[in-house]
Amino acid sequence: MIPVLAKLSALYKWYVLGILTLGYLTAELGHFLIGVTSKATAIDIMYGDITCQLNKTEPHFNLTLNDLCTSAHNETSCAALALDDGERFCEWNRNGLGIDYQILAGPSFIAVYTVVGVFLGIAADKYRRIPMVALCVLVCGVSIILMGGTQQFWHLVVLRMLFAAGEAGLNPMSTGVLSDLFSEELRGLVMSIFNWGIYGGIGLSFPVGRYITELNAWLLGWRVAYYGSGIIALIIGFLTFTTLKEPQRIVIGEENEEGTEAAKSK
């Protein structure tokens, strides 16, 4: 083999690790966006509790003013709260919390994720994993984009469930592929890098959900965060399907046995 091609071939498995990690990261980003954009989403789609809360008059969070706002239990008393110059510092609006948010963040996701994850784990043991990983990432991407276009609360619930079904297969299938690609000596390192996807996605959800929403690009507010995240997931899913190949399955410890037998034969 040409030396350059040999070097590129040696880098292939690290490329696979990068693509699978990015796929996991984008899924986790979509998973946790709802927690960051919940208030903006609730105001737009109209779900969750309505309370008196601190508005954006103050550039920094003020605990005293916040306590005054939360002590108001109706719209009239909330509107009566104002600074000495007459400027109101409270607003009577949806806060993005309550039972509706709990359904979105908890049961609608967890119920599907836990059940579907088992079936996809079984499928990973029997069928080609790369196409299934690609499909899972694509499902996540499509779900995130559609969440950005939702107009009703129940749409969001259904799409969160669809998203959960897609994300459920990423961990068992990806770790199986990586275990087959990398030797036993590198698996600990590889799995550590792959798990960056979890914390990278969680960490990115805060700046993406907050600052992109505040940017209000094209007057779309929180929706742009979902559209952008979903498009990135679609790109990663496409690369997974078109550039990765199914590795040969290896039983853990099998490579050591083969090495021992080869040494004995010499």
Side-chain angles (χ1 to χ4, degrees), residues 211-224:
Y211 296 115
I212 291 183
T213 298
E214 291 179 354
L215 188 62
N216 196 25
W218 303 287
L219 301 179
L220 292 173
W222 61 274
R223 298 179 186 274
V224 177

Side-chain angles (χ1 to χ4, degrees), residues 10-266:
L11 292 175
Y12 168 75
K13 58 185 179 182
W14 295 101
Y15 169 76
V16 174
L17 172 60
I19 291 295
L20 294 180
T21 301
L22 287 174
Y24 201 18
L25 186 150
T26 54
E28 289 295 317
L29 171 59
H31 178 179
F32 288 97
L33 265 181
I34 190 64
V36 184
T37 66
S38 184
K39 181 178 178 179
T41 306
I43 292 173
D44 196 358
I45 299 179
M46 294 186 294
Y47 70 83
D49 294 346
I50 301 177
T51 62
C52 186
Q53 54 200 294
L54 196 65
N55 63 21
K56 295 184 178 180
T57 301
E58 290 291 315
H60 303 291
F61 181 79
N62 187 307
L63 182 60
T64 301
L65 296 182
N66 181 70
D67 289 343
L68 289 173
C69 291
T70 55
S71 66
H73 299 296
N74 55 64
E75 187 173 4
T76 302
S77 58
C78 183
L81 296 172
L83 299 172
D84 293 337
D85 59 3
E87 186 174 17
R88 293 173 56 186
F89 56 87
C90 296
E91 63 177 357
W92 184 257
N93 210 338
R94 298 181 186 274
N95 60 9
L97 301 176
I99 186 64
D100 290 342
Y101 172 72
Q102 292 174 30
I103 291 173
L104 276 177
S108 68
F109 182 90
I110 295 172
V112 176
Y113 185 91
T114 52
V115 174
V116 174
V118 173
F119 288 101
L120 290 179
I122 294 172
D125 291 332
K126 296 183 177 181
Y127 306 106
R128 296 176 62 217
R129 295 154 297 180
I130 292 298
M132 290 191 289
V133 170
L135 179 60
C136 286
V137 177
L138 291 172
V139 167
C140 288
V142 170
S143 301
I144 297 170
I145 291 174
L146 292 178
M147 276 190 267
T150 52
Q151 300 297 330
Q152 296 186 42
F153 174 71
W154 72 268
H155 294 166
L156 204 55
V157 173
V158 171
L159 289 170
R160 281 279 292 179
M161 296 172 72
L162 178 62
F163 175 85
E167 187 181 358
L170 293 180
N171 190 292
M173 294 180 186
S174 297
T175 52
V177 169
L178 294 173
S179 294
D180 289 339
L181 278 176
F182 288 89
S183 64
E184 190 173 359
E185 292 78 10
L186 289 173
R187 284 180 191 139
L189 171 63
V190 168
M191 295 307 168
S192 298
I193 294 174
F194 175 71
N195 282 321
W196 287 355
I198 301 175
Y199 306 105
I202 296 173
L204 283 175
S205 68
F206 289 94
V208 170
R210 177 180 177 182
Y211 296 115
I212 291 183
T213 298
E214 291 179 354
L215 188 62
N216 196 25
W218 303 287
L219 301 179
L220 292 173
W222 61 274
R223 298 179 186 274
V224 177
Y226 285 81
Y227 292 148
S229 301
I231 290 171
I232 293 173
L234 291 182
I235 294 172
I236 298 300
F238 176 77
L239 289 175
T240 302
F241 187 77
T242 57
T243 65
L244 305 191
K245 58 184 180 181
E246 184 74 16
Q248 180 181 356
R249 294 179 186 266
I250 297 176
V251 178
I252 300 298
E254 186 178 85
E255 62 267 44
N256 290 337
E257 294 177 3
E258 291 177 353
T260 302
E261 291 177 0
K264 289 180 178 179
S265 63
K266 292 180 180 180

